[in-house]
Amino acid sequence: FKRGAFSLAYAARAPIMPVALIGTYESLPRKQTLPNWGKPVEVRIGKPIYPREVPANESRAEEVRLMREAEEAVRKLLGGEL
């Protein structure tokens, strides 16, 4: 997770949508050019995470909070793996 995307979301007051993709490696392993057709990929979408209104001098802390909360949400969607 990189803070830049969360800085943009905070500036735009846009919610963060946690998303986890399961089975992508089995569908398209590293160094393989064509996918393994028939291998399912599951998409799990979490609840949106909304930025809070904070004073300008606390915006960096809010961006970090968004990033950490999104990382934890994705971890839960993956069943604890990340």
Side-chain angles (χ1 to χ4, degrees):
F1 288 78
K2 304 286 184 183
R3 205 180 101 235
F6 299 94
S7 295
L8 290 172
Y10 175 75
R13 301 300 187 260
I16 303 291
M17 293 299 300
V19 176
L21 300 173
I22 316 261
T24 55
Y25 184 79
E26 292 77 17
S27 180
L28 186 61
R30 224 172 269 178
K31 296 188 180 182
Q32 186 171 317
T33 56
L34 295 174
N36 294 323
W37 301 109
K39 298 286 183 178
V41 174
E42 181 181 349
V43 179
R44 296 179 184 173
I45 302 171
K47 295 180 182 179
I49 303 166
Y50 295 94
R52 298 177 188 154
E53 279 291 328
V54 296
N57 64 337
E58 295 178 19
S59 63
R60 182 179 172 111
E62 177 60 9
E63 293 163 8
V64 170
R65 181 199 68 83
L66 286 171
M67 184 173 64
R68 299 242 192 292
E69 197 170 324
E71 187 174 359
E72 182 59 31
V74 171
R75 183 176 280 115
K76 287 178 183 175
L77 291 171
L78 289 171
E81 302 171 25
L82 188 63

